[in-house]
Amino acid sequence: SSGINAEWPLRPGLKGVLKVGQEIEVRPGITTKDAEGNLHCVPIRSRVLTMFAENNDLQFAVPGGLIGVGTKIDPTLCIGDRLVGHVIGSEGSLPPIYTLIEIQYHLMRRLLGVRTEGKSKGAKVDNLSKNEVLLVNIGSLSAGGRVSAIRETKNKHGAVDKRAKVILTSAVCTDVGEKIAISRKINKHWRLIGWGTIKGGQKMTI
């Protein structure tokens, strides 16, 4: 079986070259939960059979565009966009898989597109709170998360360093330094409230 033709966005800032015939790995891959609710991941391994961009066949590709990649991956693994947000690369070269991330974050002063009653300005954005449920966007992946800890410190210049630990509802293949967007559910809709940078976290053992 020739498997699937999937379009993978090769984002600028990522490293490496993808070539026809190359052995590849997809992370996090197949994700399951045990009886206690703990996540387990098995990366998917395959080979690049074909690549194309628009109507052009490619022999290699670099980060910076949307590339169609033909592989031997079972098409049933892609049902319901299950592989959206997963990362493709040479076997053993991909970033770790995290189930908890520590972020340095910044919140907007006011919500965009949401007004409080009788006021022309947007509603004020409250600080994060412990056990609050958020939506975080890491690359093309959207994952739910619960805030488990919050810490604020001031540096010698008086600037406030805000950090939070977020337990993710789905495993994420990412790396320290990756930028994220943070959203909060307001009036039954997810609204962007800030952004942040991954500073660390809990890595999954594969």
Side-chain angles (χ1 to χ4, degrees), residues 91-167:
E91 192 172 335
S93 69
L94 294 176
I97 299 172
Y98 289 89
T99 55
L100 177 150
I101 54 175
E102 180 178 353
I103 60 172
Q104 181 184 47
Y105 67 93
H106 306 272
L107 299 180
M108 299 187 297
R109 291 185 179 181
R110 296 189 177 274
L111 290 171
L112 299 175
V114 180
R115 293 182 180 179
T116 52
E117 191 173 346
K119 295 183 180 180
S120 59
K121 292 184 178 180
K124 185 179 178 182
V125 175
D126 295 325
N127 198 12
L128 303 184
S129 58
K130 190 174 180 181
N131 293 321
E132 179 179 8
V133 176
L134 302 170
L135 181 70
V136 294
N137 291 84
I138 308 171
S140 58
L141 178 71
S142 296
R146 179 175 58 83
V147 179
S148 62
I150 298 172
R151 177 169 58 90
E152 292 188 11
T153 57
K154 284 188 177 182
N155 60 26
K156 60 182 180 180
H157 303 294
V160 179
D161 179 27
K162 295 184 177 182
R163 303 210 177 194
K165 291 183 179 180
V166 181
I167 301 172

Side-chain angles (χ1 to χ4, degrees), residues 16-189:
V17 177
L18 207 57
K19 301 176 182 178
V20 172
Q22 181 178 347
E23 298 289 336
I24 58 166
E25 182 179 14
V26 179
R27 289 193 177 191
I30 301 171
T31 305
T32 57
K33 281 186 179 182
D34 60 23
E36 298 177 353
N38 298 315
L39 291 170
H40 299 275
C41 295
V42 179
I44 302 168
R45 293 177 174 85
S46 186
R47 179 185 291 113
V48 177
L49 301 179
T50 58
M51 288 193 296
F52 65 92
E54 296 181 354
N55 295 322
N56 301 315
D57 289 333
L58 305 176
Q59 292 301 309
F60 66 92
V62 296
L66 190 64
I67 306 297
V69 182
T71 71
K72 288 187 173 182
I73 296 173
D74 189 335
T76 59
L77 296 177
C78 302
I79 293 174
D81 291 335
R82 289 179 191 170
L83 295 186
V84 168
H86 290 226
V87 181
I88 185 173
S90 297
E91 192 172 335
S93 69
L94 294 176
I97 299 172
Y98 289 89
T99 55
L100 177 150
I101 54 175
E102 180 178 353
I103 60 172
Q104 181 184 47
Y105 67 93
H106 306 272
L107 299 180
M108 299 187 297
R109 291 185 179 181
R110 296 189 177 274
L111 290 171
L112 299 175
V114 180
R115 293 182 180 179
T116 52
E117 191 173 346
K119 295 183 180 180
S120 59
K121 292 184 178 180
K124 185 179 178 182
V125 175
D126 295 325
N127 198 12
L128 303 184
S129 58
K130 190 174 180 181
N131 293 321
E132 179 179 8
V133 176
L134 302 170
L135 181 70
V136 294
N137 291 84
I138 308 171
S140 58
L141 178 71
S142 296
R146 179 175 58 83
V147 179
S148 62
I150 298 172
R151 177 169 58 90
E152 292 188 11
T153 57
K154 284 188 177 182
N155 60 26
K156 60 182 180 180
H157 303 294
V160 179
D161 179 27
K162 295 184 177 182
R163 303 210 177 194
K165 291 183 179 180
V166 181
I167 301 172
L168 301 170
T169 57
S170 56
V172 175
C173 178
T174 187
D175 218 342
V176 171
E178 185 78 23
K179 304 295 183 183
I180 70 168
I182 305 168
S183 299
R184 169 184 285 156
K185 186 167 268 192
I186 298 170
N187 297 330
K188 299 181 180 180
H189 296 284

